[in-house]
Amino acid sequence: GNSDIDQLGKIFAAFGTPKPSQWADMVYLPDYVEYQYVPGQPLKTLFPTATEDALDLLSKMFSYDPKARISAQQALEHRYFSSGPLPTEPALLPRPPPKRESANPRVSDFN
């Protein structure tokens, strides 16, 4: 978003405005403002090609309540990372072509 409020609007448009049942402590935030209720979209609508394991992980990562949100360690141990399709072996991944060496390097070559 272009501002904090714009970013919140984008989050709420995707996930809906948080309800007290989802995050009881939100009313104690220093700059808490009550927003008009906006229903959230199902994650499957936002991520149509995601697997059920991916959607489960995302739902736990996108929890509004930080006390209910999955930790980084729990996320790394989530079944999404061990279920099929398994990751491709690094040696089998496509590689970009090697960069050409230039006799006259320009400033733009270093960016």
Side-chain angles (χ1 to χ4, degrees), residues 83-95:
S83 63
L86 296 176
T88 301
E89 290 294 325
L92 300 175
L93 290 171
R95 302 275 182 203

Side-chain angles (χ1 to χ4, degrees), residues 1-8 10:
N2 297 328
S3 66
D4 293 348
I5 298 298
D6 185 44
Q7 185 64 44
L8 282 174
K10 291 178 185 317

